[in-house]
Amino acid sequence: MADKPRSLRLEIDADKIGWLIFDAPDSQVNLLDSEVMRHLDGYLAELESRIATGHPIAVVIWSEKPDTFIAGADVNEIAEIEDEEDGRRKSAMGQRIFSRLGRLGIPKIAAIRGACLGGGTELALACDWRLAADTPATTIGLPEIKLGLIPGFGGSVRLPRLVGIQRALSMILTGRSLSAAHAYRYGLVDQVFDDAGFQHSAAQVALDAVLGRVERELPHATTRDRFLENTGLGRRLLFRGARKRVRSASGTRYPAALKAIDVIEETLDLPIDEALAVEAEALGEVATTNVCRNLVRLFRGGRAANRTFAPEIAAQQRDVRKVAVLGAGVMGGGIAELAAAHDISVVLKDIDREALDLGLRHAHELLQKAGKRGIIAPEEVGLKFALVHGTLSYEQFGDVDVVIEAVVERLHVKQQVLRDVEAELPPHAVFATNTSSLSVTKLSEAAARPDRVVGLHFFNPVHRMPLVEIIRGESSSDAALATVFKLARRLGKTPVLVADRPGFIVNRLLAPYLNEVGFLLNDGADVARIDRTLTEFGLPMGPCRLLDEVGFDVAAHVAKEMARAFGDRMRPSAALDTLTDLGRLGKKNGRGFYTYSDREERVDREVGRAFGSGGGGVRPEEIIDRCLLISVNEAMYALEERVVAGPGDVDLAMVMGTGFPPFRGGPLAWAESRGARSVRDRLLELTEQHGDRFTPAPGLDRLADADGSFTSDAVWRDPGSPLDM
């Protein structure tokens, strides 16, 4: 049997330059898993022997992948860390290998083209020189903090020594990646070269380094920088400020951030081996926290969502070169901007010139904001906006690949729009409705090609919310679904495949959560306490504030639709009708639970009088249980109906679509921390106290009886699922 192709090989060229080449077989990216690290260690041993004979004279780290240098460690192996000692040991292993690279007695050059993240950046830090290809795919960063980790292969120690404390803190605590040019300004990259001829440039730098002809240009340091970086008082101020910012942003909910600050402060002046030991110990501590496990699970869920389709179905994906957006409201304009920002030609259509102009203006404003924030280059704003073409007709639809419909949420209107546009489209085009609640199957009944009709539900605001729900109607073809999946990924979104059920997944779980607000108000809770309790739990805003954003009229309509679909367990409270009768619609008319003015945003006293709330009727623990356990219970109904493939998709969708606190891992991961029996028992108590809407779902009953896990996909795997691929 032939040996399995390796992800790493060593070649030595005619100039005696050694090339350590990463090229993972059957993968678009290179990862530093245990096998690759063992091979790297072996090649370093070989290089040590060869160097003793004068061959090679330098070594270049290179990737054969066009868009990836090294994308980091294998997250699956991070998830398997058993305890603190296991985490410390794995960190120390990576440190040892990278230190071995660093000690090679010849120049070491990291030639970075494409994504260089996590362990890839830490490997580059162990080299003498770092070069970058000037291509949009080149990004360099240490995103470990987003997984509840710290850089543990030497990054927490080496980065501040290279670029300074302030820049290292910025990179590590935000997890943001730098472009090649930005990395050069930071002092992280020594030289930037054109992508064309990059390998030749790297070889020339290697030869120049052997001859001592490569110089490092240090970033300019102000007097203030020198004081902060190089004096005891300055450093104390830096680290005190960093801790203050972390605690202000997230308290102690994400312990890795505070641990990273501790490690950098403690190791700055230690010998490298002692410093690395401190880093390894800290990595072991954070890698075994529940926060890390939750964040890693969400990350893996996002990657799994991107691999929803079997290879034979994924092969049916079509490239999307041109998109049409029907309806130039805020949502339509946002979708048009998103497509243009990702270099896709867009036709934005409306039936009203004034509405069309507003949609175009909204798209342009969003692009301008992206330019100011550095998301896209400022000089590219005009070029990207030129990709958006406004129209009142269907003349430009003959070569459209995907139509995204974002008109008013009325089935008969959407069906008429579908009939009108379908006649103007090429046969391969997909019609994707952005509906948040209507049946994709019923909509497709108006289609001549129902197999090309799918749901593509964006969340508002489009440019910020990472989730899209992709809805499979009864007639939706695999090819159509795979095509919009590919489009969603190109737009930078996380897609989750959802069955065509009322509310899909996010709104279905959100509905009982928001509905419970009215019952809480009637039971004596006040708006401020409800919202404060849920924001302290970790949600980005409380349910009352969220209802103001949604609008009471919209929320009441959705509540009635959900009650029609699911019966008494979603029976609407009377609260929204009460507030609407008082002339309140939410933020849209400046009067909701809160009043809005240029000066302040505060709870309106009239709301308290409307419900007779004294402010102290309901304890915070009960607010949390009533709002969130009812949502968990609904998730169990949805899983039993196979609305999504498993609990991982539930948690991913609720974190990405509603801002459920990532450190808690999603509603089912949070329920898991309480235990199935405890959750069932609490729901039974709430049923007795407040009614049948809290009755445990049959699936939850079975889970509790078996002492099972909320987060185990195996519990819900069913080959007969309507989502089965």
Side-chain angles (χ1 to χ4, degrees):
M1 182 182 295
D3 290 341
K4 176 184 174 183
R6 286 191 172 191
S7 298
L8 178 64
R9 65 183 187 272
L10 173 64
E11 298 178 0
I12 299 178
D13 65 19
D15 292 321
K16 297 184 180 181
I17 298 172
W19 295 81
L20 274 171
I21 300 171
F22 286 84
D23 188 14
D26 304 320
S27 175
Q28 294 181 342
V29 299
N30 297 313
L31 294 175
L32 295 175
D33 59 24
S34 296
E35 182 181 10
V36 171
M37 293 296 282
R38 283 194 299 272
H39 290 157
L40 176 58
D41 201 22
Y43 283 126
L44 292 175
E46 181 180 340
L47 282 168
E48 288 167 349
S49 298
R50 287 174 173 266
I51 289 167
T53 66
H55 187 168
I57 58 174
V59 64
V60 178
I61 313 295
W62 180 260
S63 168
E64 290 283 77
K65 306 294 184 189
D67 296 323
T68 305
F69 179 66
I70 298 171
D74 186 344
V75 177
N76 293 324
E77 293 189 358
I78 295 172
E80 293 169 0
I81 292 176
E82 297 175 357
D83 51 36
E84 290 187 17
E85 176 55 26
D86 187 33
R88 186 206 63 76
R89 187 169 55 250
K90 289 178 177 175
S91 173
M93 178 272 294
Q95 293 172 345
R96 178 188 62 77
I97 295 171
F98 287 178
S99 292
R100 189 174 196 175
L101 169 66
R103 286 194 298 268
L104 290 178
I106 55 174
K108 300 158 291 287
I109 296 94
I112 302 167
R113 180 181 62 168
C116 174
L117 302 173
T121 298
E122 292 178 287
L123 184 149
L125 287 169
C127 294
D128 301 310
W129 307 97
R130 285 152 296 281
L131 317 177
D134 187 12
T135 167
T138 299
T139 54
I140 307 172
L142 293 167
E144 287 88 345
I145 206 77
K146 297 179 181 179
L147 297 179
L149 296 165
I150 66 169
F153 282 3
S156 301
V157 171
R158 291 192 174 96
L159 184 65
R161 298 182 186 207
L162 178 67
V163 303
I165 302 169
Q166 296 173 85
R167 288 169 172 165
L169 285 171
S170 175
M171 284 189 67
I172 291 172
L173 295 181
T174 64
R176 286 196 295 264
S177 298
L178 307 180
S179 66
H182 199 172
Y184 175 74
R185 292 194 296 271
Y186 253 48
L188 177 56
V189 160
D190 298 295
Q191 295 185 49
V192 177
F193 295 99
D194 288 339
D195 190 32
F198 181 54
Q199 189 167 13
H200 174 76
S201 300
Q204 188 59 54
V205 170
L207 292 173
D208 289 343
V210 171
L211 299 173
R213 296 194 305 217
V214 182
E215 295 182 358
R216 176 170 287 116
E217 183 178 341
L218 297 176
H220 174 70
T222 65
T223 301
R224 176 180 178 275
D225 288 337
R226 288 193 293 272
F227 164 72
L228 290 172
E229 299 273 348
N230 301 323
T231 69
L233 175 59
R235 287 181 175 184
R236 285 194 295 275
L237 290 173
L238 270 182
F239 290 116
R240 184 185 306 157
R243 289 188 178 92
K244 183 177 180 180
R245 288 190 295 274
V246 167
R247 290 192 176 102
S248 175
S250 59
T252 58
R253 291 165 173 165
Y254 296 89
L258 293 172
K259 182 62 68 174
I261 298 170
D262 291 344
V263 169
I264 294 172
E265 183 174 28
E266 185 177 347
T267 62
L268 270 172
D269 298 318
L270 290 178
I272 187 71
D273 288 342
E274 293 181 27
L276 291 173
V278 172
E279 180 189 84
E281 195 76 31
L283 187 281
E285 292 176 20
V286 296
T288 52
T289 62
N290 286 333
V291 172
C292 178
R293 297 190 191 284
N294 286 335
L295 294 175
V296 167
R297 176 173 170 267
L298 288 169
F299 179 82
R300 295 172 76 192
R303 289 203 315 186
N306 286 331
R307 297 193 301 268
T308 293
F309 296 97
E312 62 272 15
I313 295 175
Q316 300 178 48
Q317 295 172 335
R318 295 185 66 97
D319 289 330
V320 177
R321 296 182 176 87
K322 186 175 181 180
V323 164
V325 180
L326 304 179
V330 171
M331 182 66 75
I335 296 170
E337 182 273 338
L338 182 69
H342 289 82
D343 301 315
I344 299 174
S345 179
V346 191
V347 180
L348 180 62
K349 182 190 179 299
D350 206 288
I351 59 174
D352 180 80
R353 168 55 65 180
E354 185 176 349
L356 180 61
D357 290 343
L358 285 173
L360 290 169
R361 191 177 308 126
H362 181 56
H364 189 240
E365 289 171 353
L366 289 174
L367 285 168
Q368 287 181 314
K369 289 178 181 177
K372 290 177 181 177
R373 293 173 59 195
I375 297 172
I376 59 176
E379 62 270 18
E380 292 185 0
V381 169
L383 295 173
K384 290 184 183 293
F385 185 62
L387 293 170
V388 183
H389 308 277
T391 182
L392 299 175
S393 72
Y394 289 115
E395 290 180 4
Q396 303 179 53
F397 281 60
D399 58 348
V400 163
D401 299 302
V402 174
V403 173
I404 302 173
E405 169 272 305
V407 303
V408 64
E409 195 77 348
R410 296 289 183 268
L411 181 62
H412 70 279
V413 175
K414 291 179 183 288
Q415 286 181 325
Q416 187 58 54
V417 167
L418 171 55
R419 293 188 192 98
D420 292 343
V421 72
E422 197 174 28
E424 310 295 332
L425 296 173
H428 74 269
V430 177
F431 182 94
T433 175
N434 184 51
T435 182
S436 61
S437 61
L438 298 177
S439 168
V440 174
T441 300
K442 289 183 179 178
L443 174 61
S444 70
E445 291 172 359
R449 296 187 292 272
D451 62 306
R452 313 303 297 169
V453 179
V454 303
L456 183 62
H457 179 211
F458 291 88
F459 290 78
N460 202 23
V462 174
H463 63 292
R464 290 182 184 170
M465 299 301 287
L467 180 74
V468 290
E469 292 177 316
I470 294 181
I471 299 98
R472 176 191 277 278
E474 290 180 9
S475 300
S476 302
S477 69
D478 291 339
L481 289 162
T483 295
V484 293
F485 250 78
K486 185 174 184 177
L487 173 62
R489 290 196 299 269
R490 182 173 172 186
L491 296 177
K493 299 300 183 183
T494 298
V496 172
L497 185 63
V498 185
D500 189 16
R501 302 285 188 272
F504 309 132
I505 189 63
V506 171
N507 284 340
R508 178 164 175 179
L509 270 60
L510 202 57
Y513 164 77
L514 294 176
N515 192 36
E516 195 60 26
V517 169
F519 293 112
L520 283 165
L521 290 170
N522 285 329
D523 289 344
D526 65 45
V527 170
R529 172 170 286 194
I530 293 170
D531 277 1
R532 184 171 61 251
T533 296
L534 274 302
T535 54
E536 287 175 353
F537 178 83
L539 287 157
M541 67 176 66
C544 300
R545 183 69 178 77
L546 179 57
L547 280 165
D548 274 7
E549 291 287 335
V550 171
F552 294 166
D553 51 345
V554 173
H557 171 74
V558 171
K560 290 181 175 67
E561 290 298 316
M562 298 300 282
R564 186 175 295 115
F566 300 112
D568 284 347
R569 74 171 186 269
M570 290 209 194
R571 175 176 56 85
S573 73
L576 292 182
D577 289 336
T578 299
L579 292 167
T580 304
D581 290 344
L582 293 171
R584 296 177 176 275
L585 295 178
K587 195 173 182 181
K588 66 177 69 177
N589 75 340
R591 298 180 69 233
F593 288 110
Y594 296 81
T595 55
Y596 300 88
S597 67
D598 294 336
R599 295 182 180 179
E600 62 178 344
E601 184 179 301
R602 59 179 176 79
V603 178
D604 196 313
R605 294 177 183 175
E606 187 180 37
V607 174
R609 290 196 296 270
F611 295 99
S613 172
V618 184
R619 294 175 293 108
E621 307 85 61
E622 184 172 345
I623 292 172
I624 289 172
D625 284 356
R626 287 175 61 174
C627 286
L628 297 182
L629 288 183
I630 199 170
S631 185
V632 168
N633 200 42
E634 192 59 37
M636 304 304 287
Y637 282 106
L639 284 169
E640 190 128 29
E641 295 171 25
R642 300 294 290 157
V643 174
V644 291
D649 283 355
V650 171
D651 282 343
L652 182 68
M654 295 304 286
V655 169
M656 297 288 190
T658 71
F660 194 94
F663 69 93
R664 297 191 186 275
L668 295 180
W670 170 69
E672 179 76 4
S673 71
R674 297 181 63 156
R677 290 182 180 176
S678 174
V679 168
R680 194 255 313 266
D681 291 347
R682 180 62 176 135
L683 283 169
L684 288 171
E685 290 177 4
L686 291 171
T687 302
E688 193 172 317
Q689 296 165 3
H690 301 289
D692 290 343
R693 66 184 181 276
F694 289 102
T695 300
L700 177 52
D701 257 336
R702 292 194 300 273
L703 196 70
D705 288 341
D707 200 20
S709 168
F710 281 101
T711 59
S712 172
D713 286 312
V715 173
W716 302 101
R717 194 169 290 127
D718 175 10
S721 163
L723 296 176
D724 183 45
M725 292 295 147

